[in-house]
Amino acid sequence: MMSKIGTESNPLRVAVFGSGPTGFYTTDSLFKNGEMVVEVDLFDRLPVPYGLVRFGVAPDHPKIKSVTNLYERIADNPRFRFFGNVEFGKDLLLSDLQRHYHQVVLATGAQTDRRLNIPGIDLQNSHAATEFVAWYNGHPDYRECQFDLSQTQAAVIGIGNVAVDVARILCRTVDELRETDIADYALDALSESKIEEVWLVGRRGPAQAAFTNPELREMGKLADADLVILPEEARLDDLSQETLDRTQDRAVVKKVEMIQEFAAQPLSAKSRKLYIRFLVSPVELYGDGDGSVTGMRLVHNELYATEAGTLRPRATEKFEHLDVGLVFRSIGYRGVPLPDVPFNDNWGVIYNQKGRVVDPDTQEPITGLYTAGWIKRGPTGVIGTNKPDAAETVDCMFEDLAAGKTFSPPEPQSEAVLRLIAQRQPSYVTFEDWHRIDQMELEKGAAQGRPRVKFTSVQEILNALGK
Ligand code: NAP
């Protein structure tokens, strides 16, 4: 008879899909449980790890990226293995995993964007911000995207931190960008950019802005772009002022102060302008005969309080036109369904309770199947938010293990699944392989005086590894 699960002779075997921050925090929580012997296989559909840290975090935010040093330490555990270039539901099916693991965690993040349903949104030169972000970060699926940087005016819809990243990258000088690990083709394209003005378009006011204070401060310090805020839009309406007077949230008070200070500043003579607009919503994008964006119609909003006290925007009768030739919509990421996993299409997340995947009809947990991170709770919070989120899921996993609720894999041995992976995806990438790629990227960067030059295609990576 098999010994208890979680022992030296019968370790708890877990497969985690998605090697972004949540995948690593989940792994860490599993290893740190203090009692059980756990083996984790971390999978990614891309051949390199770190998900959104590599492909989402802005290239000019190297400090945020240094969180990967922590992930490297987690990966040092001898009971950890990485399998890159292996996709859930394609190379490995849920039924395969049930043969080899006790538990499976889905931490695949939010890979697409929320739709904005206004006329003209599908015109040429109107893009999802998530695509631009993935493109400048060298994501293999987006390297072929084209962005018309011969335009002089661009708008970014939404004023969250992703919108700010996009606006900032459009406003940086080539010298600023060269100091980053931005994809080399993006550096080339942006060095030819003719963009002069970037408009961040916010539907609510300064006190409701989704960007955070360090990001706001940074917009005021760009080498060759002025931050412009209209004084009349920086002033708070009565409802916002009342809410602010009552708030305990110092960061919001500070944010409003900073916005008003920026609005009062005289312009300098920098070559680009980065406008933040408040209380305006795009209602339509206009196009020319070729189907390319030529402008955006905006409606001015006012705020009203919902029963719950939230301030929401409501359109007024006042309209305005922006002559923009390039538009990015940045109103939030959205999760993508996974084969054989119940998905809540309204919210863009896997049906779950505290990380236990549940059957949507019965609300009963599906034994052995878990989720964590953005695909569990939606695309909110910073990287660190995923740590307690992953810990909550892992707590459920250990609770269920104690109650005897796991898959009953007939072949739990770590070599058994290795044979299957080698058969299904012979070009899988290990963590050692990743270290070689990492080294090559750093060396290529050093030769060009840059921190890193990324590989941006799967084939290039496999070729470099001789696979
Ligand atoms: P976000 O923070 O949720 O911001 C979404 C923005 O879109 C908000 O301004 C929102 O306005 C607006 N919006 C939503 N629906 C809209 C509509 N129909 N029309 C116009 N505007 C609309 O999302 P995000 O920017 O994608 O960022 C995702 C998460 O990653 C956030 O938690 C963010 O802080 C984090 N992040 C952090 C960093 C960093 O730390 N540097 C960098 C990037 C991302 P309302 O507020 O009115 O809904």
Side-chain angles (χ1 to χ4, degrees), residues 61 64 114 116 157-163 165 201 203-204 208-212 215 281-282 312-313 330-333 374 379-382:
H61 281 170
I64 301 184
R114 278 186 51 211
L116 179 67
I157 303 167
I159 51 172
N161 282 334
V162 172
D165 284 348
V201 176
R203 64 176 171 176
R204 296 191 289 161
Q208 297 84 33
F211 52 69
T212 41
E215 279 63 29
S281 287
R312 307 292 316 155
S330 181
I331 63 164
Y333 281 76
W374 275 8
T380 59
V382 293

Side-chain angles (χ1 to χ4, degrees), residues 222-434:
L222 296 169
D224 198 23
D226 273 320
L227 178 61
V228 189
I229 298 175
L230 308 179
E232 63 271 26
E233 289 183 356
R235 259 193 308 274
L236 294 194
D237 59 287
D238 293 345
L239 285 175
S240 296
Q241 189 63 55
E242 278 167 31
T243 313
L244 195 71
D245 290 344
R246 276 183 277 122
T247 187
Q248 304 293 317
D249 188 344
R250 286 297 308 156
V252 178
V253 176
K254 181 74 197 163
K255 188 187 293 178
V256 172
E257 264 173 38
M258 282 165 63
I259 288 171
Q260 294 178 342
E261 277 165 25
F262 279 124
Q265 265 177 16
L267 287 190
S268 64
K270 294 182 177 174
S271 8
R272 287 177 174 149
K273 302 269 172 284
L274 199 182
Y275 292 88
I276 310 181
R277 297 294 309 274
F278 295 107
L279 288 165
V280 281
S281 287
V283 285
E284 180 167 4
L285 301 185
Y286 298 115
D288 59 14
D290 298 336
S292 283
V293 174
T294 53
M296 177 188 281
R297 183 168 156 87
L298 293 173
V299 65
H300 286 235
N301 296 327
E302 60 188 11
L303 297 178
Y304 70 96
T306 62
E307 268 176 34
T310 311
L311 299 188
R312 307 292 316 155
R314 178 164 61 199
T316 66
E317 300 285 311
K318 189 175 167 198
F319 291 90
E320 183 186 332
H321 183 88
L322 277 186
D323 277 324
V324 288
L326 186 59
V327 173
F328 298 98
R329 53 186 183 277
S330 181
I331 63 164
Y333 281 76
R334 194 184 147 79
V336 176
L338 292 163
D340 303 327
V341 181
F343 191 73
N344 183 334
D345 215 31
N346 291 329
W347 297 0
V349 298
I350 293 174
Y351 275 108
N352 76 93
Q353 283 166 10
K354 294 186 180 175
R356 288 184 177 101
V357 178
V358 298
D359 180 320
D361 298 327
T362 63
Q363 295 296 311
E364 284 300 311
I366 298 176
T367 301
L369 199 55
Y370 301 86
T371 180
W374 275 8
I375 194 72
K376 163 186 171 187
R377 70 169 196 280
T380 59
V382 293
I383 289 171
T385 315
N386 295 302
K387 204 173 168 175
D389 181 296
E392 179 187 61
T393 297
V394 170
D395 283 347
C396 293
M397 293 167 72
F398 283 123
E399 222 176 274
D400 293 349
L401 172 65
K405 293 181 203 155
T406 63
F407 296 144
S408 309
E411 297 179 87
Q413 306 76 12
S414 58
E415 314 79 56
V417 75
L418 197 56
R419 283 194 294 274
L420 181 70
I421 296 166
Q423 190 190 326
R424 297 279 177 81
Q425 179 46 287
S427 307
Y428 69 86
V429 173
T430 65
F431 216 64
E432 263 172 30
D433 292 333
W434 154 244

Side-chain angles (χ1 to χ4, degrees), residues 23 148 171 203 219 223 232 440:
D148 181 4
C171 287
R203 64 176 171 176
M219 281 189 280
E232 63 271 26
M440 286 186 250

Side-chain angles (χ1 to χ4, degrees), residues 59-60 149 165-183 186-196 198 218-219 221-226 269-274 450:
D60 57 345
L149 300 169
D165 284 348
V166 166
R168 203 178 58 249
I169 293 299
L170 288 170
C171 287
R172 289 263 188 220
T173 62
V174 188
D175 286 343
E176 285 176 302
L177 292 175
R178 199 173 287 125
E179 286 169 16
T180 75
D181 68 356
I182 193 166
L187 181 62
D188 290 346
L190 285 160
S191 69
E192 301 287 314
S193 165
K194 300 284 182 288
I195 295 287
E196 292 167 5
V198 178
E218 198 179 10
M219 281 189 280
K221 287 192 193 155
L222 296 169
D224 198 23
D226 273 320
K270 294 182 177 174
S271 8
R272 287 177 174 149
K273 302 269 172 284
L274 199 182
R450 299 188 51 205

Side-chain angles (χ1 to χ4, degrees), residues 18-277:
S19 67
T22 304
F24 276 95
Y25 293 132
T26 303
T27 304
D28 198 32
S29 283
L30 284 163
F31 284 149
K32 281 195 178 138
N33 76 88
E35 270 174 58
M36 306 281 170
V37 178
V38 185
E39 289 181 353
V40 178
D41 287 346
L42 180 62
F43 293 87
D44 205 294
R45 79 183 175 88
L46 290 176
V48 287
Y50 305 143
L52 213 67
V53 178
R54 182 175 165 106
F55 298 116
V57 171
D60 57 345
H61 281 170
K63 268 204 199 125
I64 301 184
K65 284 175 191 261
S66 64
V67 70
T68 56
N69 295 335
L70 176 75
Y71 305 160
E72 290 276 338
R73 286 206 293 280
I74 297 169
D76 273 343
N77 190 311
R79 298 184 193 277
F80 171 89
R81 296 189 299 187
F82 173 71
F83 295 101
N85 205 25
V86 179
E87 189 167 344
F88 178 88
K90 187 172 147 234
D91 302 312
L92 292 179
L93 307 178
L94 187 53
S95 52
D96 299 319
L97 300 165
Q98 286 168 328
R99 293 190 61 77
H100 297 289
Y101 296 94
H102 298 103
Q103 295 175 324
V104 171
V105 186
L106 304 165
T108 48
Q111 292 159 37
T112 181
D113 70 306
R114 278 186 51 211
R115 287 279 308 163
L116 179 67
N117 286 321
I118 57 169
I121 198 70
D122 292 323
L123 285 168
Q124 258 182 61
N125 291 358
S126 163
H127 307 275
T130 53
E131 286 173 12
F132 186 58
V133 169
W135 172 78
Y136 65 59
N137 278 324
H139 190 303
D141 294 354
Y142 295 88
R143 53 175 271 153
E144 304 300 339
C145 290
Q146 300 280 334
F147 300 96
D148 181 4
L149 300 169
S150 70
Q151 299 294 329
T152 56
Q153 313 281 320
V156 187
I157 303 167
I159 51 172
N161 282 334
V162 172
V164 171
D165 284 348
V166 166
R168 203 178 58 249
I169 293 299
L170 288 170
C171 287
R172 289 263 188 220
T173 62
V174 188
D175 286 343
E176 285 176 302
L177 292 175
R178 199 173 287 125
E179 286 169 16
T180 75
D181 68 356
I182 193 166
D184 49 3
Y185 55 73
L187 181 62
D188 290 346
L190 285 160
S191 69
E192 301 287 314
S193 165
K194 300 284 182 288
I195 295 287
E196 292 167 5
E197 295 189 322
V198 178
W199 303 79
L200 276 168
V201 176
R203 64 176 171 176
R204 296 191 289 161
Q208 297 84 33
F211 52 69
T212 41
N213 294 353
E215 279 63 29
L216 172 60
R217 201 168 292 119
E218 198 179 10
M219 281 189 280
K221 287 192 193 155
L222 296 169
D224 198 23
D226 273 320
L227 178 61
V228 189
I229 298 175
L230 308 179
E232 63 271 26
E233 289 183 356
R235 259 193 308 274
L236 294 194
D237 59 287
D238 293 345
L239 285 175
S240 296
Q241 189 63 55
E242 278 167 31
T243 313
L244 195 71
D245 290 344
R246 276 183 277 122
T247 187
Q248 304 293 317
D249 188 344
R250 286 297 308 156
V252 178
V253 176
K254 181 74 197 163
K255 188 187 293 178
V256 172
E257 264 173 38
M258 282 165 63
I259 288 171
Q260 294 178 342
E261 277 165 25
F262 279 124
Q265 265 177 16
L267 287 190
S268 64
K270 294 182 177 174
S271 8
R272 287 177 174 149
K273 302 269 172 284
L274 199 182
Y275 292 88
I276 310 181
R277 297 294 309 274

